[in-house]
């Protein structure tokens, strides 16, 4: 039953973000993953597919219990508060998720225990003694060679690993060594990008070790039914959060009901730090439970600020809420998806942020739309002839007619930066075309037909650019469309699902302008750097 994506059709696309850990407030890395997931979901909807985007929070574990104790609150109250901040941030970022998973939800325990029962019956769980250095922040045992000087965790360098010697239940990961290697070989696109795939292949080649799936003396979690003194540990709890919310309201909470429509997922989108757990542990767990495997896991890179790793100790963290309070959601979304090659590490620099936004959205795209509409009003009384045709040798038409194919290729490979560059190439060509063809001079010479051809080709290019940018900057795209006389809102999820009316919009040359286009307003205000930048 372990086929890849055997129930997903070409008209359906389901994807997830990680389930974010609630030990602290959401950070810019979490926002980055979720912006990318939302852009993918919007593109898939725009392409005519029915889409499900799941996000959520992972809320069990010793780290959560300790954090709650330090703050003098019950673990559930802590989880409720932090989980709410993620949902508030997603609203600020204009994230259109369909399901929000919480591992403290009532249904979750039932699904986890049923899944665990399947693996238990397979003989892949056993009781043994666990000895080793354990990082509470990572919720993971570490090899001694991995630790820094004096036993500090290499990831959480301000925390010492703790020595543990206790009985745990283990999952027989080692039994799936050959099956995993065969799966990766037969499905070379399963792990992306290629650099992440190579990391996983090298790790697996080094030999897989069984891993602990339970803890003792831990109240905050789901007990193992066969031995309630043991609490289910992270992976057999958190990873099942991808499945729990798939049970539709009113249905019996069972794995069978959860898996009916959307499972297996087309894409798990994660940060590279949790790649091993999704590309190895999760796959082996699903194999053991005889469940279908997801189609792809994509691990993106880390973010730095001004070229330095972000951290509280360095005092250089980037608060996504503060960034959104200063700049709007489209600006934030555009920078992180335009200026960073998705899959690689990226950097935030506020000067570069402002310059990128001003150059692309204010100076190039916004100015192009406004100057073109201004000339349309001044030279053509705000409208174009109904039977206007554009010659085949028009330089803008040549670029525009192939833009959708090039942009589609980029989006389908999650190359957001490349999709933006393809679109901005057309925008820059339009500005150059206006400057070189000088419609103001042609107007004085009485060449009204040529003026209309120029303005039509430019405004049609702006329209197509707005459509293709809508997964990244939906608010600006909506303004562009509405200024061109279309009653479209790219934040309306029902607009694009199997929309026959939208298909023609992917073609260059379908612009139909209203007679009155006096609604031209700036689609993007030029940004100014604050003090200290």
């Amino acid at each position: 039953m372990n086929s890849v994506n055997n129930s997903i059709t070409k008209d359906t696309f389901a994807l997830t973000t990680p389930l974010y850990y609630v030990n602290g407030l959401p950070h810019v890395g979490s926002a980055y993953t979720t912006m990318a997931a939302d852009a993918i979901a919007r593109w898939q909807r725009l392409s005519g597919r029915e889409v499900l985007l799941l996000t959520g929070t992972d809320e069990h574990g010793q780290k959560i219990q300790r954090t709650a104790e330090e703050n003098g609150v019950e673990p559930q109250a802590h989880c409720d508060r932090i989980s709410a901040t993620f949902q508030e941030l997603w609203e600020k970022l204009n994230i259109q998720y369909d399901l929000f998973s919480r591992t403290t939800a009532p249904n979750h325990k039932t699904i986890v225990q049923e899944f665990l029962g399947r693996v238990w019956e397979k003989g892949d769980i056993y009781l043994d003694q666990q000895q080793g250095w354990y990082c509470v922040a990572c919720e993971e045992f570490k090899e001694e060679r991995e630790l820094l000087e004096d036993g500090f965790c290499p990831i959480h360098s301000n925390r010492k690993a703790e020595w543990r010697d206790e009985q745990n239940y283990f999952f027989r990961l080692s039994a799936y060594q050959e099956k995993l290697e065969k799966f990766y070989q037969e499905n070379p696109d399963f792990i992306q990008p290629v650099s992440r795939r190579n990391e996983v292949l090298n790790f697996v080649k080094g030999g897989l070790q069984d891993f602990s799936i339970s803890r003792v003396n831990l109240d905050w979690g789901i007990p193992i039914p066969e031995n309630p003194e043991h609490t289910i540990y992270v992976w057999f709890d958190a990873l099942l959060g991808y499945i729990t919310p798939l049970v539709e309201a009113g249905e019996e909470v069972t794995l069978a009901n959860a898996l009916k429509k959307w499972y297996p997922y087309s894409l798990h989108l994660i940060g590279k730090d949790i790649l091993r757990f999704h590309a190895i542990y999760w796959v082996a767990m699903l194999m053991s439970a005889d469940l279908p495997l997801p189609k792809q896991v994509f691990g993106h890179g880390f973010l730095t600020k001004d070229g330095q790793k972000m951290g509280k100790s360095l005092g250089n963290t980037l608060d996504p809420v503060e960034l959104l309070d200063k700049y709007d959601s489209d600006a934030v979304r555009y920078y992180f998806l335009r200026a960073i090659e998705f899959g690689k590490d990226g950097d935030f620099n506020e000067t570069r942020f402002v310059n990128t936004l001003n150059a692309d959205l204010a100076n190039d795209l916004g100015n192009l739309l406004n100057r073109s509409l201004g000339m349309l009003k001044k030279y053509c009384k705000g409208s174009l002839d109904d039977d206007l045709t554009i010659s085949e040798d028009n330089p803008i038409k040549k670029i525009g007619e192939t833009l959708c194919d090039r942009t589609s290729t980029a989006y389908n490979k999650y190359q957001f930066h490349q999709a933006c560059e393809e679109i901005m190439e057309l925008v820059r060509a339009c500005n150059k075309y206006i400057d070189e063809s000088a419609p103001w001079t042609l107007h004085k010479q009485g060449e009204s037909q040529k003026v209309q051809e120029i303005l039509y080709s430019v405004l049609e290019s702006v329209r197509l650019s707005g459509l293709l940018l809508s997964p990244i900057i939906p608010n600006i795209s909506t303004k562009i469309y509405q200024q061109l006389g279309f009653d479209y809102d790219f934040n309306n999820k029902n607009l694009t699902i199997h929309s026959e009316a939208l298909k023609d919009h992917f073609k260059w040359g379908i612009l139909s302008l209203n007679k009155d286009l006096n609604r031209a307003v700036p689609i993007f205000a030029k940004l100014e750097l604050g003090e200290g930048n």
Side-chain angles (χ1 to χ4, degrees):
M1 193 176 175
N2 292 129
S3 60
V4 178
N5 211 29
N6 63 354
S7 68
I8 295 293
T9 70
K10 64 180 181 179
D11 294 324
T12 309
F13 193 95
L15 72 157
T16 78
T17 71
L19 301 185
Y20 301 108
Y21 210 42
V22 295
N23 60 305
L25 296 173
H27 53 74
V28 71
S30 306
Y32 179 51
T33 314
T34 312
M35 285 186 278
D38 184 66
I40 293 168
R42 286 176 184 265
W43 172 253
Q44 293 295 332
R45 291 192 196 101
L46 203 63
S47 301
R49 295 181 181 88
E50 192 176 359
V51 175
L52 180 129
L53 170 56
L54 179 144
T55 185
T57 45
D58 171 16
E59 303 180 13
H60 285 140
Q62 188 172 57
K63 184 163 51 174
I64 301 303
Q65 183 171 313
R66 286 187 180 180
T67 301
E69 289 171 355
E70 291 168 3
N71 293 324
V73 297
E74 292 296 318
Q76 188 64 62
H78 169 82
C79 292
D80 291 344
R81 182 179 72 86
I82 300 298
S83 183
T85 64
F86 278 91
Q87 295 179 64
E88 290 163 3
L89 178 57
W90 298 167
E91 183 176 357
K92 277 179 170 285
L93 277 170
N94 198 7
I95 305 298
Q96 291 186 331
Y97 61 86
D98 300 285
L99 292 174
F100 193 95
S101 178
R102 297 186 61 186
T103 57
T104 56
N107 290 354
H108 184 66
K109 178 179 177 181
T110 304
I111 293 291
V112 167
Q113 291 185 331
E114 183 181 351
F115 182 92
L116 185 73
R118 284 193 178 206
V119 179
W120 192 285
E121 291 175 6
K122 197 76 170 285
D124 284 337
I125 294 175
Y126 64 94
L127 188 65
D128 203 352
Q129 197 73 14
Q130 172 77 65
Q131 289 184 327
W133 293 102
Y134 182 74
C135 175
V136 174
C138 289
E139 296 280 15
E140 182 185 13
F141 279 91
K142 301 287 184 180
E143 298 287 339
E144 189 166 1
R145 57 185 169 81
E146 294 181 82
L147 299 176
L148 303 176
E149 189 176 354
D150 295 328
F152 284 91
C153 172
I155 297 174
H156 302 91
S157 54
N158 60 336
R159 290 175 179 261
K160 274 191 174 184
E162 302 175 4
W163 179 257
R164 297 290 175 88
D165 186 356
E166 61 187 33
Q167 274 201 331
N168 290 166
Y169 283 96
F170 285 77
F171 173 69
R172 298 185 192 276
L173 179 64
S174 58
Y176 290 88
Q177 175 96 27
E178 291 184 7
K179 284 187 178 181
L180 285 167
E181 289 177 336
K182 182 180 179 183
F183 171 71
Y184 300 141
Q185 183 178 5
E186 293 177 349
N187 299 276
D189 293 332
F190 174 70
I191 304 167
Q192 290 294 314
V194 174
S195 58
R196 301 285 98 81
R197 169 180 163 79
N198 293 337
E199 289 174 19
V200 169
L201 294 181
N202 289 334
F203 183 86
V204 174
K205 191 180 297 183
L208 295 176
Q209 303 295 318
D210 298 347
F211 62 85
S212 170
I213 68 164
S214 76
R215 292 289 176 273
V216 293
N217 304 317
L218 176 62
D219 298 326
W220 188 240
I222 299 171
I224 290 182
E226 289 77 7
N227 190 346
E229 292 183 1
H230 286 255
T231 298
I232 298 172
Y233 167 62
V234 178
W235 313 119
F236 270 77
D237 178 353
L239 291 170
L240 270 296
Y242 293 132
I243 293 178
T244 303
L246 298 179
V247 179
E248 294 188 3
E251 288 193 332
E252 183 183 0
V253 181
T254 64
L255 269 174
N257 282 336
L259 305 179
K260 283 195 302 188
K261 179 176 181 179
W262 292 106
Y263 187 85
Y265 285 102
S266 306
L267 174 67
H268 285 305
L269 194 62
I270 58 169
K272 65 181 181 179
D273 55 325
I274 53 174
L275 178 65
R276 184 194 315 173
F277 311 120
H278 287 77
I280 302 175
Y281 292 15
W282 180 226
V283 177
M285 289 162 56
L286 291 168
M287 287 177 171
S288 177
D290 289 320
L291 295 182
L293 307 181
K295 184 177 180 180
Q296 192 172 75
V297 174
F298 191 105
H300 67 73
F302 288 156
L303 297 177
T304 56
K305 183 181 178 185
D306 301 324
Q308 289 187 311
K309 181 179 178 180
M310 285 183 269
K312 291 181 181 178
S313 59
L314 296 174
N316 69 337
T317 56
L318 180 62
D319 186 339
V321 176
E322 290 182 3
L323 190 63
L324 285 161
D325 286 341
K326 187 173 182 180
Y327 306 104
D328 68 19
S329 62
D330 274 17
V332 174
R333 292 166 65 105
Y334 188 79
Y335 175 81
F336 281 102
L337 299 179
R338 160 64 158 150
I340 297 170
E341 183 176 347
F342 197 63
K344 296 185 177 180
D345 292 347
D347 184 68
F348 176 86
N349 173 273
E350 191 164 5
T351 300
R352 186 163 59 248
F353 172 91
V354 169
N355 290 342
T356 299
L357 272 292
N358 284 341
D360 285 6
L361 300 185
N363 297 341
D364 287 346
L365 181 59
N367 183 54
L368 178 65
L369 175 61
N370 291 327
R371 72 191 293 210
S372 301
L373 287 176
M375 286 187 285
L376 182 72
K377 180 181 177 182
K378 184 175 180 180
Y379 304 146
C380 309
K381 298 182 179 179
S383 65
L384 296 168
D385 293 344
D386 294 334
D387 59 349
L388 190 65
T389 59
I390 306 300
S391 62
E392 291 301 319
D393 62 353
N394 182 293
I396 301 306
K397 183 177 182 179
K398 289 181 178 179
I399 299 174
E401 285 185 327
T402 61
L403 178 62
C404 187
D405 289 340
R406 289 179 280 121
T407 306
S408 296
T409 298
Y411 271 125
N412 289 333
K413 293 181 178 179
Y414 318 134
Q415 295 176 346
F416 310 109
H417 74 292
Q418 185 61 38
C420 291
E421 178 55 30
E422 297 286 0
I423 295 164
M424 294 312 299
E425 179 186 346
L426 176 61
V427 170
R428 291 190 295 267
C430 286
N431 277 310
K432 181 180 179 182
Y433 178 54
I434 289 177
D435 293 339
E436 292 180 347
S437 58
W440 45 88
T441 301
L442 293 173
H443 173 69
K444 291 178 181 178
Q445 295 171 350
E447 299 281 359
S448 61
Q449 183 73 11
K450 290 184 179 179
V451 172
Q452 289 203 48
E453 286 183 16
I454 294 166
L455 295 180
Y456 180 97
S457 60
V458 169
L459 289 170
E460 169 60 358
S461 297
V462 173
R463 179 204 64 78
L464 185 60
S465 298
L467 172 72
L468 297 176
L469 282 170
S470 65
I472 297 174
I473 49 172
N475 294 330
I476 290 175
S477 294
T478 296
K479 289 180 182 179
I480 290 172
Y481 251 59
Q482 290 176 351
Q483 286 192 48
L484 294 175
F486 295 95
D487 188 19
Y488 274 63
D489 181 354
F490 288 105
N491 289 308
N492 178 1
K493 289 165 67 174
N494 295 322
L495 171 71
T496 54
I497 294 178
H498 302 292
S499 173
E500 293 296 324
L502 192 66
K503 286 184 178 179
D504 283 344
H505 284 242
F506 285 92
K507 302 174 185 176
W508 191 96
I510 61 97
L511 187 61
S512 176
L513 294 173
N514 285 348
K515 294 298 181 183
D516 182 10
L517 286 173
N518 293 319
R519 295 181 292 164
V521 294
I523 62 166
F524 188 83
K526 194 167 184 177
L527 302 179
E528 298 291 341
L529 274 169
E531 294 183 5
N533 293 288

